[in-house]
Amino acid sequence: MKIPINLKAGSVDKEEKKDVIIGIDLGTTNSLVAYADGEETFVIRDTSGSNALVPSILHFGKDGVVVGDIAREKLISAPERTIYSVKRLMGKSYQDLSSLKDSVGYNVIDQDAEALVKVEIDGKYYTPIELSAEILKELKYRVEKHLKATVSKAVITVPAYFNDAQRQATRDAGKLAGLEVLRIVNEPTAASLAYGIGLSKDEEQTIVVYDLGGGTFDISILQIQNGIFEVLATHGDTQLGGDDFDKVIIDYWLSKSDISADGLNNNKSLGQEYRTEAEHAKKAISTIGSYKTSIANKELHIDAETFASLSYDLIAKTINACKLAMKDAKLSNEDIDQIVLVGGSTRMPIIKSAVSDYFGQSINDSLDPDEVVAIGAAIQADILAGNRKDLLLIDITPLSMGIETVGGLMDVIISRNSKVPTRAGRQYTTSVDGQKNLKIAVYQGERDLVEHNRKLGEFNLTDIPPMPAGIPKIEIKFILDADGILTVKATELRSNVETQMEIRSAYGISEEDMARMLIDSLQNAESDMQTKGLLESINEANNILLAAQRFIEQNKDALTIEQISKINLLKEDLLATTQGDSKDVIEASMQAMNLYTAPLAHEALDRNIGKALKETKM
Ligand code: AMP
């Protein structure tokens, strides 16, 4: 039994506090974590309080794995050990990834074309599940640090189009990170919840969720009735996002310079500078309408009008996907009650107006588009924690599921856009006299021939009593649960011989592997914590070094030569400690720097205030 003691009041609390269940938006580019307390929702931010996004990037250094901004800094210097876009690898086989594997800087392994891919780093192999688990561990760590309590339960969001293997992989990653995943929720459903849509039992609404992130685009149409969410249709493009808008700016600037696209590809640092400046330009256009810069002594400029005409095709692609989704859902624009925007790229005014113009109505953009999905996940978590009135979320399966029949044909059992949870079955028979076994191969996809669809797994119904061909009655049942996870059952009805399979056996991660990985991660937990502490100190030291340099530059007229050289000496000392592996030594050196520079900084502040006062008097 647990006895809750209120340390401040020195009393025993009457009511035991409910567990906090966290909501996680596990994104391709960035991830976020949030929680709710029955009323308010809180997004976990960094120590500066401004940034909630944790880049979904991992770096394998000599001392262990780091996640987030620290890892992002290594993208250029150590691309083969810095992993990004793991979400694109989830639940995928090597065959699925023919285009992606050449475009990333790390090594995607082809162990067996049918099996899940792995990533090779320094001769070790990691599944996308293990890699995603590292991101989830970082999010768990952040929220635990904030709450000063452990958390063990989560709701994780996935794109509505994620198939069964991808959902299962996400669930497994949560488990590996030490989280019991109570629900896998579709991202558009979470976004609607964030806007409070569907929280009242009587409302009936049809919602469009337009999600344009850094690298992917999705459009979903949801119908909410009596507190039940149903995804009517989804469409999208997994290779379209904010990066493409940066690219049109780069191409435009290249056309104004004498550098070719190949020339830029061959010069990594120049390429990076162009990418960074193009993204700055895009964001500046969103707020101030134009942008000027210079790269390699070349003056570059772009205004909102030029950007709008360059982006026309990209935006048209997204609007076309909206049209297709509306057609799938058999709806017209008048049927749409609300439009919700998700993803950083929807901050672009040209996107807001294109979407609003197409649907002929205003849009919901009052929440931070980067945070809506995490906020919605936290609200769903809160509902599951029993803090809100019961709401049921119903989703759809975006791809048909069926089995292989004679001639390699796909026989669909649960069709695309069916509501989940659902179950469906069909009867089959044998084609040979005395046939004892029947192979059942399960596929997902829309093509008529199974070879063009995705295989989810296969199993055998054995021990069918000998009967003439055509006599056995074999029922195949598909049971799809609320998370979109499939169980297939085969029963010979005359004899009651039965076999069943959960898709995880073919494409998920086995319980033994899971146990091994958990033991590994527990064994390494202490050294992981130490590494993390050291890396945090190095990061802080680097910030102090930068600040000290800036301080010298800004105050060089007021500082004496002795003061400048003393600061430079302290800088050298601090820089040297960051090469070592002692957190304590780095911290002592940072303290020495602070001790010496704090009074100087105060003097500088007084001087600046004095100067400002004088100027206002004049
Ligand atoms: P997400 O994956 O949702 O975090 O989306 C990140 C994308 O949003 C990146 O491509 C950013 O460049 C883009 N983005 C963020 N802020 C803005 C802005 N103010 N204007 C245009 N694009 C933005």
Side-chain angles (χ1 to χ4, degrees), residues 208-212 216-221 233-238 240 313-329 355 358-359 416:
V208 164
V209 181
Y210 178 101
D211 179 349
L212 188 61
T216 57
F217 167 67
D218 300 312
I219 161 89
S220 313
I221 301 173
T234 64
H235 256 280
D237 187 335
T238 53
L240 174 66
D313 287 350
L314 295 174
I315 298 174
K317 261 193 195 172
T318 71
I319 298 298
N320 198 38
C322 294
K323 274 186 204 160
L324 294 171
M326 291 291 284
K327 201 170 150 213
D328 263 7
V355 178
Y358 174 69
F359 288 102
R416 170 181 152 76

Side-chain angles (χ1 to χ4, degrees), residues 29-30 53 213-214 242-243 279 282-283 286 343-345 347-348 370:
T29 329
N30 294 302
L53 300 178
D243 300 350
E279 194 184 7
K282 177 182 71 178
K283 291 184 179 172
S286 295
S345 299
R347 289 199 183 92
M348 286 188 273
D370 281 318

Side-chain angles (χ1 to χ4, degrees), residues 119-334:
V119 172
E120 189 241 8
I121 303 144
D122 291 341
K124 276 188 162 177
Y125 302 104
Y126 299 89
T127 62
I129 296 171
E130 288 169 283
L131 299 171
S132 289
E134 291 297 334
I135 300 172
L136 293 172
K137 276 187 212 164
E138 173 67 29
L139 298 170
K140 180 174 182 281
Y141 168 78
R142 286 190 184 211
V143 71
E144 287 180 338
K145 202 164 114 189
H146 174 88
L147 290 171
K148 298 187 180 63
T150 53
V151 293
S152 59
K153 292 177 180 158
V155 166
I156 305 181
T157 59
V158 296
Y161 61 78
F162 252 28
N163 66 27
D164 186 78
Q166 292 167 305
R167 283 165 198 265
Q168 189 66 60
T170 306
R171 185 176 272 282
D172 287 344
K175 201 163 163 189
L176 200 55
L179 290 168
E180 185 189 343
V181 181
L182 299 183
R183 209 32 109 70
I184 298 280
V185 174
N186 284 337
E187 288 161 9
T189 303
S192 306
L193 278 176
Y195 275 102
I197 302 169
L199 288 176
S200 132
K201 283 256 187 249
D202 325 317
E203 73 188 82
E204 270 191 37
Q205 296 206 48
T206 307
I207 315 291
V208 164
V209 181
Y210 178 101
D211 179 349
L212 188 61
T216 57
F217 167 67
D218 300 312
I219 161 89
S220 313
I221 301 173
L222 313 180
Q223 191 164 56
I224 301 156
Q225 255 174 341
N226 311 322
I228 296 175
F229 285 65
E230 186 185 332
V231 187
L232 297 181
T234 64
H235 256 280
D237 187 335
T238 53
Q239 306 293 338
L240 174 66
D243 300 350
D244 298 286
F245 289 81
D246 302 345
K247 199 168 170 297
V248 295
I249 300 180
I250 297 175
D251 291 344
Y252 171 69
W253 282 345
L254 287 182
S255 75
K256 304 272 168 203
S257 77
D258 45 14
I259 305 165
S260 67
D262 278 348
L264 198 66
N265 276 342
N266 294 333
N267 186 338
K268 271 194 177 165
S269 67
L270 190 65
Q272 186 56 35
E273 203 174 342
Y274 264 90
R275 274 195 292 279
T276 309
E277 281 302 304
E279 194 184 7
H280 282 160
K282 177 182 71 178
K283 291 184 179 172
I285 288 169
S286 295
T287 48
I288 51 171
S290 68
Y291 189 73
K292 233 186 211 156
T293 183
S294 95
I295 304 178
N297 295 324
K298 174 86 191 157
E299 293 283 318
L300 296 164
H301 173 256
I302 185 161
D303 58 30
E305 214 181 347
T306 315
F307 179 59
S309 73
L310 294 171
S311 311
Y312 182 85
D313 287 350
L314 295 174
I315 298 174
K317 261 193 195 172
T318 71
I319 298 298
N320 198 38
C322 294
K323 274 186 204 160
L324 294 171
M326 291 291 284
K327 201 170 150 213
D328 263 7
K330 299 189 182 69
L331 294 176
S332 59
N333 287 355
E334 305 82 70

